[in-house]
């Protein structure tokens, strides 16, 4: 049987902390195909960030392997890995003392890209994430709104033209409209740049709307994975619980926001 090599493969990966007392990631196997958009959903402390940090070699697994395009990341030089994988940090992670252009250009600079090329790339990236070049280039992170900072985080992750982008709760602390707009914009970028994306989110509705496939983590374990339709057939009670919110929202919205201005069910006229 011939099957395409997954671009990212976690094979029986485990990672514990505190001398083995905390099993942050517990025997997780997961594959992501080239071009796929995978969301990882799970409650706080379920091991999502740890799994991502393992992929980028920010930490090393206690057991198992992570392969990128068939190559064990443990064998790949971290600088090369950084070029291949863009990372959007959970807290935004911009350097407060650096201007926006320096924040975005940091990886190319570490890779030895000439200054003129970096400047051109920074402008291109500002356009890409829909921030005004002149207005934002020389500002500092504290002079930007939360949504603008997240856009800079995405631009920085894309600076070295990676094939893979890992995003840790990228749109977490934003108002719903900004979050929705950023999510849609990122989804368009994912398609346009032919990226492979893993995005962590607490929000199952966001995962369903943005991702091709969803992986559910609980207490360090991968409890389910599949398309939204596949997940809805899962017998796992935790998955059922997670899907409950978007289901209830969808039902309520259908009643409260009827199409074509029709009268809501149970309405007065
Ligand atoms: N460097 C560390 N040292 C000790 N324990 C850690 C470390 N990093 C993570 N942990 C623990 O591992 C578990 C998983 O943490 P992780 O950050 O992966 O969770 P998460 O799913 O990303 O949670 P959240 O949604 O709150 O960001 C937690 O119990 C956490 O306290
Ligand atoms: Mg986390």
């Amino acid at each position: 049987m011939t099957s395409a090599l997954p671009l990212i493969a976690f094979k029986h990966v485990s990672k514990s902390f505190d001398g083995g007392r905390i099993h942050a990631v517990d025997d997780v196997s997961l594959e992501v195909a080239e071009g796929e958009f995978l969301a990882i959903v799970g409650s706080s402390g379920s091991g999502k960030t740890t799994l991502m940090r393992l992929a980028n070699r920010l930490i090393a697994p206690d057991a198992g392997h992570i392969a990128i395009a068939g190559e064990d990341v443990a064998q790949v030089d971290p600088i090369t890995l950084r070029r291949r994988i863009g990372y959007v940090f959970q807290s935004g992670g911009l350097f407060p003392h650096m201007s926006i252009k320096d924040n975005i250009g940091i990886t190319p600079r570490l890779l030895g890209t000439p200054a003129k090329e970096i400047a051109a790339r920074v402008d291109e990236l500002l356009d890409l994430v829909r921030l005004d070049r002149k207005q934002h280039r020389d500002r500092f992170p504290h002079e930007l709104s939360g949504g603008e900072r997240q856009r800079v985080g995405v631009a920085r992750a894309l600076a070295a033209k990676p094939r893979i982008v890992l995003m840790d709760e990228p749109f977490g602390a934003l108002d719903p409209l900004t979050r929705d707009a950023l999510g849609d914009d990122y989804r368009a970028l994912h398609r346009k740049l032919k990226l492979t994306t893993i995005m962590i989110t607490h929000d199952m509705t966001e995962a369903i709307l943005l991702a091709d496939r969803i992986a559910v983590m609980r207490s360090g374990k991968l409890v389910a994975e599949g398309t939204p339709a596949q997940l809805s057939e899962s017998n796992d009670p935790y998955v059922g619980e997670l899907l409950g919110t978007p289901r209830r929202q969808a039902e309520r919205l259908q009643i409260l926001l009827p199409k074509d201005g029709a009268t809501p069910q149970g309405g007065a006229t």
Side-chain angles (χ1 to χ4, degrees), residues 17-18 22 24 42-51 53 90 168-169 200 202:
F17 294 109
D18 282 356
I22 299 169
S43 53
S44 190
S46 57
K48 306 178 300 295
T49 297
T50 304
L51 192 68
R53 296 178 75 215
Q90 185 159 14
D168 195 348
E169 287 272 355
I200 291 175
H202 279 103

Side-chain angles (χ1 to χ4, degrees), residues 20 30 35 61 110 126 203 209 213:
L30 177 67
L110 290 172
L126 285 170
D203 184 346
L209 291 174
R213 205 155 55 93

Side-chain angles (χ1 to χ4, degrees), residues 56 78-87 89 95 98 101-114 118 121-122 125 153 155-162:
N56 210 17
I79 303 270
T80 310
L81 207 58
R82 225 178 270 168
R83 192 179 296 161
R84 286 191 203 162
I85 306 179
Y87 200 107
F89 290 90
F95 298 108
M98 277 188 193
K101 69 171 187 292
D102 287 347
N103 262 288
I104 295 177
I106 191 158
T107 308
R109 200 158 50 247
L110 290 172
L111 294 168
T113 309
I118 297 176
R121 179 78 184 135
V122 166
L125 287 158
R156 185 175 63 179
L158 295 174
K161 302 191 177 172

Side-chain angles (χ1 to χ4, degrees), residues 29-105:
S29 294
L30 177 67
E31 293 186 347
V32 188
E34 172 138 40
E36 204 175 11
F37 193 135
L38 177 92
I40 302 181
V41 182
S43 53
S44 190
S46 57
K48 306 178 300 295
T49 297
T50 304
L51 192 68
M52 236 181 218
R53 296 178 75 215
L54 286 162
N56 210 17
R57 260 194 90 177
L58 290 168
I59 47 174
D62 300 332
H65 297 279
I66 298 129
I68 304 283
E71 202 177 355
D72 191 329
V73 295
Q75 311 298 324
V76 184
D77 154 60
I79 303 270
T80 310
L81 207 58
R82 225 178 270 168
R83 192 179 296 161
R84 286 191 203 162
I85 306 179
Y87 200 107
V88 182
F89 290 90
Q90 185 159 14
S91 49
L94 300 182
F95 298 108
H97 57 287
M98 277 188 193
S99 67
I100 297 310
K101 69 171 187 292
D102 287 347
N103 262 288
I104 295 177

